[in-house]
Amino acid sequence: MRGRKFPGVRMACLERASPALKGILLKRYRDSNFMEIDHHLYEFGSVEYHIQSSASDTHYIYLSVSTPLLSQGVMRPYGISQYTKQMVKGIRPDIVEIVEPAKEGYQLTLRLDFSGIPIGKDSVKVIADIAAVQAVILSSQLKEMLMNVNPQDTSQGMYKPLKLEYHPREPFFIIRQPQKIIAVFPIRFKDKTDVTIATAFFQELMDVGSSEKWRKAPPCCWSPIPPPELRGETFEDLSTNGGFVSFEISSRHVEGKRLDKTVWSLLNFYAYVKYHVKSTRSFIQRRMRKRLEGLVEVLGKRRNTEEKEKDEEEEKEGNHKVPGCMNMRKLIKISKPKVLQRRYDDLSTKIKRIRWRIKIHGFGRFRRRWLKMPKFSSSMGYIRLE
């Protein structure tokens, strides 16, 4: 099974664990025939996995991960930081081991000890945690950036915006302030319909977020113009057609286990918005198609009803006639065009009679003698037009 490539799902996945990677590891764990494997797995966001295992060493699987770095400024230029590696080790310290140096072309290589995975239902949870290694790397990068913001790099009491870009042409900004953190997302769409759907969604998100039920959630704000925190940024980053969405994150949103959830929500906000827009468009198209089918069905039933009523009337008329009248009806139907033609000919004859000249006996001889038109001669020649 060497050299096989399995492309991942080409859509934004909101789950932490990679479904494709989880499936491969589960299949390898449950397979009683320990065969040599060599898989290449590609997923959305330029993420690549390389899974290897040899027949001589069946208990160990080597997993190499290549993922775009969230920011090159904070991370080391030749790999992942020590903080991120510690977070990866914390997934399952008894199973996950980091191999140094990493395989060429990858930021991280792990050696997985499948003999340490418990038997039973817990095995699925352990493998799901391992399959979420890319989410751990990405989340730890954002956590480290927030912790390593330079306190002296401030402007009028506020930290300068930190531009982060994970997917191409989808940057977002993090502004750290003394009492809160502001995350700003410029929204761009190619289709005007998507802009309309997204704008309605953001307005609804603001209304719901301001209600009493969701008062503990980070406040959301949408504006068609850039917020004041982004003053001084480039025109390219501030040119949007969907406006700007901002979230205010306070200290209670990053306490304990809430930190991971908050960071993961920020990293997947673009994916969630795209998912919502596509789902809404599909729902609208499905409703329109269903409505159109309903109208066509109503028109079809109406037409069938009219035809049925017409047939019943003709049948009733036919029952009141003596035998042989049906043939006469057919003859009348067939000769109807001839009747119309005869009427048209009569009308034409009457019109022609009206336009005929009134004849007076002897008037022709009088006209030829006394009402002759004089003849004119001209030096110019004329050609009679036919």
Side-chain angles (χ1 to χ4, degrees), residues 96-361:
V96 178
E97 180 183 355
I98 297 178
V99 178
E100 298 285 359
K103 187 179 179 180
E104 184 178 359
Y106 298 88
Q107 283 100 3
L108 191 65
T109 299
L110 307 177
R111 188 174 73 167
L112 308 178
D113 185 6
F114 270 32
S115 61
I117 298 179
I119 301 174
K121 296 182 180 180
D122 294 338
S123 61
V124 178
K125 185 178 184 305
V126 171
I127 292 179
D129 293 340
I130 297 174
V133 58
Q134 194 266 344
V136 174
I137 294 174
L138 197 61
S139 300
S140 61
Q141 290 177 0
L142 182 55
K143 294 177 186 177
E144 187 175 6
M145 291 173 198
L146 297 178
M147 292 186 299
N148 292 332
V149 174
N150 188 0
Q152 299 178 355
D153 192 11
T154 60
S155 176
Q156 297 181 357
M158 296 188 303
Y159 292 94
K160 291 184 178 180
L162 178 63
K163 179 183 176 181
L164 306 177
E165 186 172 358
Y166 174 56
H167 296 300
R169 298 180 300 277
E170 292 183 356
F172 64 98
F173 298 87
I174 298 294
I175 303 99
R176 185 174 180 180
Q177 297 181 359
Q179 301 295 331
K180 59 184 178 180
I181 295 175
I182 300 177
V184 182
F185 295 86
I187 305 299
R188 300 178 180 88
F189 286 101
K190 295 181 180 180
D191 195 348
K192 293 182 179 180
T193 305
D194 295 344
V195 176
T196 304
I197 296 175
T199 302
F201 169 66
F202 296 144
Q203 293 175 350
E204 183 70 17
L205 190 63
M206 287 193 300
D207 295 340
V208 173
S210 60
S211 62
E212 182 66 20
K213 182 179 179 180
W214 302 99
R215 59 184 179 83
K216 294 184 179 180
C220 174
C221 178
W222 175 83
S223 173
I225 60 176
E229 292 81 7
L230 296 185
R231 291 177 181 175
E233 298 298 323
T234 62
F235 177 78
E236 182 181 0
D237 294 334
L238 301 181
S239 59
T240 65
N241 58 358
F244 298 81
V245 181
S246 304
F247 293 95
E248 293 185 4
I249 303 170
S250 60
S251 58
R252 71 170 181 269
H253 299 130
V254 294
E255 293 177 352
K257 295 182 179 180
R258 294 180 181 178
L259 176 60
D260 292 335
K261 187 176 182 180
T262 301
V263 169
W264 184 248
S265 299
L266 293 177
L267 293 173
N268 288 272
F269 180 72
Y270 277 123
Y272 180 74
V273 171
K274 291 182 178 180
Y275 173 79
H276 174 80
V277 170
K278 289 183 179 180
S279 300
T280 305
R281 290 191 65 172
S282 300
F283 174 76
I284 294 174
Q285 293 173 358
R286 186 166 59 252
R287 290 293 299 272
M288 292 177 63
R289 192 180 301 111
K290 186 176 181 181
R291 180 63 175 169
L292 180 60
E293 292 175 355
L295 292 175
V296 172
E297 185 178 357
V298 171
L299 293 176
K301 290 181 178 180
R302 179 61 180 173
R303 182 177 180 182
N304 294 335
T305 303
E306 292 178 354
E307 292 179 355
K308 186 176 180 181
E309 292 177 354
K310 185 177 180 181
D311 294 340
E312 291 178 355
E313 291 179 0
E314 292 179 355
E315 185 177 356
K316 290 179 180 179
E317 291 177 359
N319 293 334
H320 292 291
K321 294 183 179 292
V322 296
C325 288
M326 295 301 297
N327 295 333
M328 184 62 68
R329 288 182 63 196
K330 292 182 178 179
L331 181 61
I332 293 174
K333 288 183 179 179
I334 294 173
S335 60
K336 187 174 292 185
K338 294 183 179 180
V339 175
L340 295 176
Q341 183 67 30
R342 190 180 300 113
R343 291 179 180 177
Y344 174 75
D345 294 340
D346 295 341
L347 181 62
S348 300
T349 303
K350 291 180 180 180
I351 294 175
K352 289 180 181 179
R353 287 177 180 177
I354 293 173
R355 296 183 61 184
W356 283 348
R357 292 180 301 174
I358 300 175
K359 293 184 179 181
I360 302 176
H361 295 286

Side-chain angles (χ1 to χ4, degrees), residues 370-385:
W370 300 101
L371 299 178
K372 289 185 178 180
M373 295 296 295
K375 295 182 179 180
F376 299 94
S377 61
S378 175
S379 60
M380 298 179 63
Y382 295 94
I383 299 176
R384 183 177 179 180
L385 299 177

